[in-house]
Amino acid sequence: MNLEGRKIIVNKSSSELAGMLKNPEDYKDLMPDGLQKFETSADGFKFGLKGMPEIALKIDNVSDKEVVLKSASSSLDFALTGTMNPLNESQTEVQLLFEGKFNPFIKMMVEKPLQNFINSLTDKIEQL
């Protein structure tokens, strides 16, 4: 299952964004409204949103071109990638891409909430 967020322009350089996205604590500011739980670890974070199960993510890779977050749970196989395309010294085009391997039943249950989550994250990132 693949989902895409809309492309947005962020008024920060790609290196500024990468620096911020290396720190698990900084992801709290990007979480959608309805955040009920947020815990950080050395290499990731766990969060809970109203009406959704808790999700644990591991910061797998951060560069000036992309950020890759992977599921920290062995029972769920997915990655959330943020691509970063520098436009100039102070603006970066960002797009979120979700790739997950789910059975058809799980896909049917999570597709809409995940797309809403990606859209909400995109809105928060756009405000940086």
Side-chain angles (χ1 to χ4, degrees), residues 4-48:
E4 290 185 7
R6 62 187 170 87
K7 289 183 180 178
I8 57 169
I9 307 294
V10 179
N11 291 319
K12 291 193 181 300
S13 69
S14 60
S15 59
E16 262 185 286
L17 283 172
M20 185 185 117
L21 297 171
K22 286 179 183 173
N23 180 6
E25 189 63 42
D26 288 339
Y27 285 87
K28 185 173 187 178
D29 296 333
L30 302 177
M31 289 292 116
D33 299 334
L35 182 68
Q36 294 186 316
K37 180 178 185 177
F38 190 87
E39 296 174 0
T40 60
S41 61
D43 64 346
F45 57 95
K46 181 192 295 187
F47 67 95

Side-chain angles (χ1 to χ4, degrees), residues 17-123:
L17 283 172
M20 185 185 117
L21 297 171
K22 286 179 183 173
N23 180 6
E25 189 63 42
D26 288 339
Y27 285 87
K28 185 173 187 178
D29 296 333
L30 302 177
M31 289 292 116
D33 299 334
L35 182 68
Q36 294 186 316
K37 180 178 185 177
F38 190 87
E39 296 174 0
T40 60
S41 61
D43 64 346
F45 57 95
K46 181 192 295 187
F47 67 95
L49 297 172
K50 189 174 183 174
M52 285 181 65
E54 284 184 11
I55 298 172
L57 294 171
K58 180 177 66 157
I59 301 171
D60 189 59
N61 179 42
V62 178
S63 72
D64 286 358
K65 297 286 184 200
E66 71 175 11
V67 175
V68 180
L69 304 176
K70 291 196 173 174
S71 171
S73 166
S74 58
S75 60
L76 294 173
D77 184 10
F78 69 85
L80 179 62
T81 302
T83 61
M84 297 187 288
N85 179 24
L87 299 176
N88 56 44
E89 293 288 315
S90 62
Q91 288 188 315
T92 306
E93 181 184 72
V94 176
Q95 184 177 28
L96 297 178
L97 307 169
F98 178 91
E99 184 180 338
K101 294 181 178 86
F102 302 121
N103 69 42
F105 178 71
I106 297 289
K107 179 184 180 217
M108 186 179 72
M109 286 179 34
V110 301
E111 190 165 17
K112 187 170 184 190
L114 276 173
Q115 186 65 59
N116 291 340
F117 176 68
I118 290 168
N119 294 343
S120 182
L121 279 180
T122 300
D123 292 344

